[in-house]
Amino acid sequence: MKTIDRETVQRILDTADIVEVVSDFVTLKRRGTSYLGLCPFHNERTPSFSVSKSKNICKCFSCGKGGSPVNFIMEHEHMTYQEALRYLAKKYGIEIKEHEMTSQERERESQRASLLAVNDFALKHFEDNLFNTDEGREVGLSYFRQRGLNEAVINKFHLGYALERSNALYASAMEKGFTEDNLVTAGLCIRTDSNRVYDRFKGRVIYPVFSLSGKIIAFGGRTLKKDVAKYVNSPESVIYVKSNELYGIYQSKSAISKLNKCILVEGYMDVISMHQSGVENVVASSGTSLTEGQIRLIHRFAENVTVIYDGDAAGIKASLRGIDMLLAEGLNIKVLLLPDGHDPDSFAQSRSASELEAYINEHETDFIKFKTDILLKGVENDPMARARAITDIVHSIAVIPNPVSTNLYITECSRMLRIDEGVIRMEVTKQRADIAEKESLRVKQQKARESLKNGGNPQAEIIETESESVASASSDDAEVSQIIARSVQKTDNSDSNFLLPYEKWLLQLVLRYGVLDLCDEVDGEGNSQSVNVIEYVSQEMQLDSIVFTNEAVAKTFDAALELARKHWPSDKRSNDEVLMENRRAYIVAGEEDIRNSLTDLADLERRRKELTQTADDMFCQWQQEYAQTYIERILCSDADSQIRGLALELVPEKYVLSKMHTKYARIETDMERLEDLVPRAIFALKDAVLTCRDRALRELLRCVVEDGSMPDNEKSDKMFDLLAQRQQITLLRSELAKYLGDRIFSSK
């Protein structure tokens, strides 16, 4: 088994032109140095989709979608990273070279391929049973038609039927050369303790489950009998993780993306019937509680979710946790309660597409109102039950990451519940702190478990301090260590949020200018060598033991550093060879023009010198442009979606100085100010880190002061030590302020 090698990937990234790629789908008009068009990812009348040829990226400044050529194709065509690369390679006629996988990669990929192949065979087998056998037509097809499905939607979802015989699929698959192990691993067959093998889905109608890319990864089977389990589903395998999949996502992803809205239902038939009625932006969690993986999958295509419930109040209360999970992901949630006696399947069957859409738009309600109506119903005269319900409602507000939305919901909740807004705000703040503390503790416990598994010291993972000196001073004092742990658990989440803008600013400079020379480094013998931006940043951070607290920032910086150290030297040499050849070609063409137009030897020699100088200037400019865009161009097309997403967030420049402004004023560019900007960004981050450490010391000081069990003399010593450390931080921040400019900060 093989995968695309790095050289081919790099060639694809270097060749693919964002204007050409986007122009296949969007009509673009030139606007200055960029291009503008209507966004293909959402409906709009005024163009907000900007394409930068120089940076080779696109971005909609309304919905935020876009990216490099690879990312654009992934988003627009709903392809995987590898599929998008192959699409672009085909577009530009690039031969794909592949390298051999490792033995582990080959084994895993071989198993994946085998399971996908046997599932594909099973799909055709079940479909053939449904239409071409007497039992299939009389039982399976009759059932689907009785449920109101037409042949078009049956074919669209590839519905099928498993014959009642216990080994019908097994015998057919073995005859075609498939192995018994693959049939069992894929969950199509079951092997008993006595080594008897029989079909898992025998006598059931079949609902195939498709992956996002259209591969058959699992099946659901429904019996038409009453004395056995109604549904049987494929077990999890290397190709199927139930918590990461949604039924109908393959058939619905285009409609969800286009409408920027996903309708979430429960079962197979709910999805199918709504599709048949003409509403296609719908998926199902397949009867399971909603998971984080499923929510992230929805968020890839839409910001808005409408959850449809039937009239079962008990079932609704059990499902409310899913709403909080959707809110925590940052999605906009509405809820639709169907009339009594209806589920999405039956409701869709009796309405046309326009009627169904109109009903949804008219009756879907905000989650706060819905949750309030559900939880407060019947508890008007029970103060304790009412208090618990209100706490539950406030919890939903507390998980919302957007502060603007949070404030709006606090106001609305206050109005609906007739409770003072300040009380609700205080409860939201308290619950947010509890959530942050639990998450922080969970992360630390996970790190501790991993450390223990790897033979490390889990206590070092659990008790992390913001100041190494504090940890050292109290390493023999278990009581103070516990205070430190409590302090850090309360502050590190807010610290990460506080540091994020500073970390992003520094990373942005690295992405845009990482391999450009910044300064010279002189050793003890007086020898100097150039240091580029990313190496300077890396050395400065190591000098003060500073690390990025945000996972995505840290991962992206590490990827940029690996590019600069491992690939930049060879990529630069290869690019220089191409540029030198372009320079020679430019000179040859220019000399021919000079010979054809001039006869005077003095003019001829002068023009040749000018030509050579121009060629040299162009060569330097080409080198500069390649170096300036090197890191950002590669990471904006990285295979890791987290790295790619953050790079695409930081690289684009939304605002460009107008021609009128630049005509009368010479504005110094960021690249020309790197010697000032990069140190300034580092010092700003260091100052922010010191601020966080000072907060931690202040919290630790408060804990020591409030600790009634500590002897007075010991308490005085610890307070004196902590105050001394805070004073040292104050002095350090004062020194940084001399460079960063006047700042007012408190040492309280």
Side-chain angles (χ1 to χ4, degrees), residues 246-261:
L246 288 162
Y247 182 74
I249 188 65
Y250 174 65
Q251 291 88 351
S252 305
K253 60 185 179 181
S254 295
I256 293 172
S257 179
K258 181 178 179 180
L259 298 172
N260 192 24
K261 178 178 181 179

Side-chain angles (χ1 to χ4, degrees), residues 480-715:
V480 174
S481 294
Q482 291 172 5
I483 295 174
I484 294 172
R486 292 198 300 271
S487 170
V488 173
Q489 288 168 14
K490 290 178 181 177
T491 61
D492 59 2
N493 187 68
S494 60
D495 285 351
S496 181
N497 292 334
F498 175 75
L499 293 172
L500 184 57
Y502 299 94
E503 294 180 354
K504 281 187 173 182
W505 180 28
L506 188 56
L507 179 63
Q508 185 178 58
L509 293 173
V510 166
L511 292 175
R512 292 180 175 178
Y513 313 109
V515 296
L516 295 183
D517 290 339
L518 181 69
C519 59
D520 289 336
E521 184 179 53
V522 182
D523 61 21
E525 300 178 357
N527 301 315
S528 66
Q529 63 176 6
S530 295
V531 177
N532 60 27
V533 170
I534 194 168
E535 286 295 348
Y536 178 85
V537 170
S538 178
Q539 291 171 18
E540 281 290 322
M541 292 183 67
Q542 289 178 8
L543 188 65
D544 290 313
S545 301
I546 294 175
V547 295
F548 290 114
T549 60
N550 181 271
E551 179 188 357
V553 173
K555 186 189 293 187
T556 306
F557 181 81
D558 289 343
L561 194 60
E562 182 182 13
L563 272 177
R565 290 175 174 175
K566 186 176 180 181
H567 300 295
W568 166 243
S570 59
D571 287 347
K572 182 181 184 300
R573 284 193 298 271
S574 300
N575 185 66
D576 283 350
E577 291 174 2
V578 174
L579 297 183
M580 187 60 72
E581 185 59 39
N582 292 342
R583 174 187 176 277
R584 282 194 292 267
Y586 178 83
I587 290 175
V588 169
E591 286 183 336
E592 184 176 351
D593 289 341
I594 292 172
R595 285 194 299 269
N596 293 336
S597 60
L598 294 177
T599 56
D600 184 88
L601 290 179
D603 284 347
L604 188 65
E605 187 61 27
R606 178 181 58 79
R607 288 285 300 277
R608 280 179 173 171
K609 288 182 179 179
E610 291 176 352
L611 176 65
T612 302
Q613 184 61 50
T614 301
D616 289 342
D617 291 344
M618 291 175 63
F619 178 81
C620 292
Q621 182 183 345
W622 292 334
Q623 279 187 314
Q624 184 86 359
E625 290 174 352
Y626 181 75
Q628 183 179 342
T629 61
Y630 177 74
I631 291 178
E632 67 179 42
R633 186 177 64 253
I634 294 175
L635 293 191
C636 281
S637 298
D638 196 86
D640 188 305
S641 60
Q642 200 173 27
I643 294 174
R644 187 173 66 249
L646 186 55
L648 290 169
E649 175 191 338
L650 298 179
V651 166
E653 297 179 65
K654 182 174 182 179
Y655 301 106
V656 179
L657 288 176
S658 68
K659 291 182 179 180
M660 182 64 70
H661 190 94
T662 55
K663 181 178 180 180
Y664 296 103
R666 170 71 173 89
I667 304 299
E668 198 174 19
T669 65
D670 283 356
M671 190 168 68
E672 293 170 329
R673 298 171 54 227
L674 282 183
E675 290 184 2
D676 174 64
L677 277 180
V678 176
R680 180 176 291 275
I682 291 175
F683 291 160
L685 177 59
K686 289 182 178 181
D687 181 70
V689 170
L690 287 173
T691 300
C692 294
R693 290 180 178 174
D694 189 59
R695 288 176 180 172
L697 288 171
R698 188 167 67 242
E699 174 67 16
L700 182 56
L701 184 62
R702 184 189 64 78
C703 291
V704 171
V705 170
E706 294 177 356
D707 191 344
S709 62
M710 189 180 298
D712 290 343
N713 60 335
E714 186 178 347
K715 180 181 292 190

Side-chain angles (χ1 to χ4, degrees), residues 104-164:
Q104 289 180 332
E105 289 175 332
R106 281 197 302 271
E107 182 179 348
R108 184 172 179 84
E109 192 59 32
S110 176
Q111 187 180 26
R112 284 181 56 86
S114 298
L115 297 186
L116 288 172
V118 75
N119 274 354
D120 191 58
F121 168 80
L123 175 77
K124 295 180 175 62
H125 174 85
F126 293 141
E127 284 186 295
D128 183 69
N129 289 344
L130 185 69
F131 290 105
N132 299 320
T133 67
D134 292 339
E135 182 184 337
R137 288 189 294 267
E138 292 171 4
V139 181
L141 195 57
S142 295
Y143 169 78
F144 288 133
R145 286 175 174 164
Q146 180 186 345
R147 295 294 300 266
L149 302 186
N150 58 40
E151 191 164 325
V153 80
I154 291 173
N155 290 328
K156 180 178 183 179
F157 285 87
H158 296 271
L159 306 182
Y161 179 74
L163 297 176
E164 184 68 36

Side-chain angles (χ1 to χ4, degrees), residues 411-450:
T411 302
E412 178 65 13
C413 190
S414 170
R415 184 190 64 79
M416 291 179 60
L417 299 176
R418 298 188 297 279
I419 297 176
D420 182 77
E421 186 174 323
V423 174
I424 295 179
R425 190 175 302 278
M426 186 167 57
E427 180 63 20
V428 167
T429 302
K430 175 181 174 295
Q431 292 207 28
R432 277 191 160 177
D434 291 344
I435 292 168
E437 186 169 345
K438 288 177 183 177
E439 175 61 17
S440 175
L441 184 59
R442 185 193 66 79
V443 171
K444 293 181 190 304
Q445 290 173 340
Q446 178 63 28
K447 287 182 179 179
R449 284 193 291 269
E450 293 174 358

Side-chain angles (χ1 to χ4, degrees), residues 298-314:
I298 292 173
H299 207 172
R300 286 180 59 180
F301 298 97
E303 297 289 334
N304 304 291
V305 178
T306 294
V307 184
I308 298 185
Y309 292 107
D310 56 31
D312 179 9

